[in-house]
Amino acid sequence: MAVSLVNPGGLPEIDAYRQVSVASGSKLVFVAGQVAWDADGVTVGEGDLAGQVEQCYLNVGTALAGVGASFDDVAKLTVYVVDWTPEKMPLLMEGIARAAAKLGVTPVPPATLLGVAALDVPEHLVEIEATAMVD
């Protein structure tokens, strides 16, 4: 199966990986874990879980759009949150709601939420990856 690797405009280019891969045939789209970076790789919302969740969802939306997909095509999300506790759920939901309003979508595909000790850098509080199917 052929795989196309893409770094869509609007996301930082990372040497170690591409932001999106598209598998031909069944056309699965795998979006790398998105953190709260802007297009220049600067962290947005340092110390603000809701703000970082919002930016992560916006980045997933940008990555999907870069390959002709949208949240309507997402089959699975995985959300990693540093030092997760159930008390953080309102902030997580606030960030999702803010992103959904900006994107004009209701992102409700199946999702897995995992608490982790740390992410790539200390200022990142959340990371979100997506798998989508495009016709």
Side-chain angles (χ1 to χ4, degrees):
M1 179 184 309
V3 175
S4 230
L5 300 177
V6 180
N7 264 331
L11 297 174
E13 289 192 25
I14 308 302
D15 290 335
Y17 61 90
R18 299 296 173 261
Q19 298 288 4
V20 180
S21 67
V22 180
S24 62
S26 56
K27 201 137 183 200
L28 287 171
V29 178
F30 300 94
V31 179
Q34 296 299 305
V35 293
W37 277 330
D38 65 13
D40 296 319
V42 175
T43 299
V44 173
E46 193 167 336
D48 173 10
L49 180 60
Q52 288 200 17
V53 168
E54 178 183 4
Q55 186 64 43
C56 290
Y57 269 84
L58 295 175
N59 287 350
V60 169
T62 298
L64 291 167
V67 295
S70 72
F71 268 97
D72 290 338
D73 302 308
V74 173
K76 176 77 167 65
L77 290 173
T78 304
V79 180
Y80 304 91
V81 181
V82 174
D83 297 326
W84 175 257
T85 62
E87 293 77 27
K88 293 181 179 180
M89 186 61 82
L91 293 172
L92 179 78
M93 298 309 292
E94 177 186 335
I96 293 170
R98 290 183 348 206
K102 285 183 178 177
L103 294 166
V105 300
T106 304
V108 292
T112 300
L113 172 62
L114 299 167
V116 297
L119 293 170
D120 59 331
V121 295
E123 54 270 11
H124 289 158
L125 304 175
V126 64
E127 182 168 330
I128 301 172
E129 63 183 24
T131 303
M133 175 70 74
V134 180
D135 292 331

